[in-house]
């Protein structure tokens, strides 16, 4: 068996184990256990990418920024929350860059429609969500839609990678982004609508499933 496949299996299992422990910590409301172990699931994925693909820094930098976002979101202060959101957005930008590089490497060109539709999708998402919030004239009116648009664009590009490159590994990425969108939907409901029982469990469990699936998909794509 290829060494990279073995490493993929190991880091996936470790990420799932620690992700399950952290998710359980939200149910029993053990804040200390949650805070200490929260970074480990992504940390194992980062280590896996660094070991197997040290010359592809975009991938593990994307996860590093996501990890830093996790760390900032541990704290309840609003300013740190927004710093965490910015870290996640940078992570999304790096993943977007990676998908464009994958398409360019596989096809030796990037379809013109992607250059046109990607920024248009970003603008439409930011304006449609941002204008709705802007009525309240809050300084963060466009922060949430900007962050969310990065996630949606990654989902869009993963679908295009599946169609253009025809590698089934991208199906795993697509499912991962669906879980990511679900996780963010739980956050939005908790923050802007209402709090419900076990909301932290739903948020964190779907988030870890998303990050693991996206990483596994990209990892699998790069394994010959």
């Amino acid at each position: 068996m290829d060494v990279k496949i073995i490493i993929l299996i190991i880091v996936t299992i470790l990420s799932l184990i620690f992700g399950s422990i952290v998710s359980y910590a939200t149910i029993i409301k053990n804040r200390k256990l949650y805070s200490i172990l929260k970074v480990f699931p992504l940390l194992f994925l980062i280590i896996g990418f660094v070991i197997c693909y040290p010359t592809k820094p975009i991938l593990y930098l994307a996860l590093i920024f996501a990890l830093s976002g996790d760390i900032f979101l541990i704290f309840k202060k609003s300013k740190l929350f927004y710093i965490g959101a910015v870290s996640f957005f940078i992570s999304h930008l790096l993943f977007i860059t990676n998908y464009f590089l994958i398409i360019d490497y596989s096809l030796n060109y990037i379809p013109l429609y992607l250059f046109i539709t990607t920024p248009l999708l970003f603008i439409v998402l930011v304006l449609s969500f941002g204008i709705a919030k802007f009525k309240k004239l809050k300084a963060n009116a466009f922060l949430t839609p900007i962050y969310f648009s990065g996630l949606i664009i990654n989902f869009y590009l993963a679908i295009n990678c599946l169609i253009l490159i025809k590698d089934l590994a991208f199906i795993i990425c697509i499912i991962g982004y669906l879980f990511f969108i679900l996780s963010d939907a739980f956050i939005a409901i908790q923050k802007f609508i209402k709090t419900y029982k076990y909301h932290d469990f739903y948020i964190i469990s779907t988030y870890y499933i998303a990050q693991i699936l996206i990483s596994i998909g990209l990892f699998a794509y790069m394994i010959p």
Side-chain angles (χ1 to χ4, degrees):
M1 185 180 292
D2 192 297
V3 174
K4 291 179 180 178
I5 296 177
I6 295 174
I7 293 174
L8 171 61
I9 293 172
I10 292 173
V11 298
T12 300
I13 291 173
L14 289 173
S15 296
L16 285 171
I17 290 172
F18 278 83
S20 299
I21 295 172
V22 175
S23 298
Y24 179 68
T26 63
I27 294 177
I28 62 176
K29 300 189 183 303
N30 189 326
R31 186 71 185 176
K32 185 176 181 180
L33 180 64
Y34 170 83
S35 300
I36 292 173
L37 299 183
K38 187 182 181 186
V39 300
F40 280 90
L42 281 189
L43 185 60
F44 289 121
L45 295 173
I46 292 168
I47 291 171
F49 276 117
V50 171
I51 292 173
C52 294
Y53 302 103
T55 60
K56 295 184 180 297
I58 290 178
L59 285 172
Y60 51 83
L61 280 175
L63 289 174
I64 287 172
F65 273 101
L67 178 62
S68 67
D70 278 344
I71 294 171
F72 283 117
L73 294 182
I74 288 174
F75 306 99
K76 294 296 184 180
K77 294 181 179 179
S78 60
K79 289 183 179 179
L80 293 178
F81 176 85
Y82 291 122
I83 292 174
V86 170
S87 296
F88 274 117
F89 180 65
I90 294 172
S91 173
H92 289 324
L93 287 179
L94 289 169
F95 274 121
I96 288 170
T97 302
N98 183 64
Y99 283 121
F100 272 108
L101 290 175
I102 287 173
I103 293 170
D104 183 60
Y105 176 79
S106 301
L107 304 180
N108 294 319
Y109 72 97
I110 299 176
L112 179 61
Y113 79 87
L114 281 181
F115 281 116
I116 298 173
T117 57
T118 301
L120 281 178
L121 180 59
F122 176 81
I123 293 169
V124 169
L125 286 167
V126 171
L127 289 178
S128 59
F129 287 102
I131 290 174
K133 283 194 68 180
F134 195 66
K135 293 179 181 178
K136 298 179 181 179
L137 298 177
K138 291 184 177 180
N140 66 326
F142 287 95
L143 275 179
T144 302
I146 286 174
Y147 159 77
F148 192 69
S149 65
L151 175 59
I152 295 298
I153 289 171
N154 270 298
F155 177 56
Y156 171 67
L157 290 176
I159 293 173
N160 275 274
C161 282
L162 175 63
I163 294 170
L164 294 170
I165 302 172
K166 296 178 177 59
D167 192 316
L168 296 181
F170 292 109
I171 293 179
I172 303 174
C173 295
I174 291 169
I175 296 172
Y177 284 115
L178 289 174
F179 272 99
F180 216 137
I181 293 169
L182 182 61
S183 178
D184 281 352
F186 284 134
I187 293 175
I189 292 170
Q190 178 197 15
K191 192 169 181 63
F192 302 113
I193 301 176
K194 68 175 183 177
T195 299
Y196 44 89
K197 191 176 183 181
Y198 301 136
H199 58 264
D200 286 335
F201 170 77
Y202 298 131
I203 291 169
I204 204 69
S205 60
T206 51
Y207 167 72
Y208 283 136
I209 292 171
Q211 290 285 26
I212 291 170
L213 287 175
I214 293 166
S215 298
I216 289 174
L218 291 173
F219 214 121
Y221 163 74
M222 292 186 293
I223 294 176

